[in-house]
Amino acid sequence: MNPEAMRSLGIKDGDRVLLESAFGQVEAIVEGTEDLMPGVVALAFGWGDPSDDRDIREKGCNVQRLIPDDHRYDPVTGLALQTAIPVNVYAQPVIL
């Protein structure tokens, strides 16, 4: 996440955040980079299992929970749209 955007939310490297799309939400660990413009977030696939009791730093983050599986997919390949997904970022994650 862009450091300027992080400052505007009052978050710093290593903080937990909640990412929420119209289809779901995930908890993630934030890290700043000047490589992203303010208003843009990047999230690597971590394949975290929401039922796993381990900390998010150990189990990872399942980004697929932000993506719909019944529409917004490529009609040729059947792959879900995996870019340009609008999300809200919350500095204080709620219990998922």
Side-chain angles (χ1 to χ4, degrees), residues 1-8 11 13 31-36:
M1 193 171 178
N2 182 279
E4 179 183 326
M6 290 171 60
R7 281 189 294 277
S8 74
I11 56 178
D13 282 352
E31 183 176 320
T33 178
E34 295 287 345
D35 294 337
L36 295 173

Side-chain angles (χ1 to χ4, degrees), residues 36-91:
L36 295 173
M37 295 175 28
V40 175
V41 297
L43 182 62
F45 280 84
W47 307 110
D49 179 353
S51 66
D52 188 334
D53 290 336
R54 292 180 297 158
D55 185 77
I56 187 74
R57 295 174 197 279
E58 295 177 39
K59 70 178 178 180
C61 174
N62 190 338
V63 69
Q64 290 179 321
R65 294 177 57 94
L66 300 172
I67 303 169
D69 61 2
D70 59 348
H71 64 286
R72 293 184 67 195
Y73 60 89
D74 183 286
V76 175
T77 64
L79 294 173
L81 176 66
Q82 298 178 30
T83 61
I85 298 166
V87 296
N88 292 312
V89 179
Y90 298 100

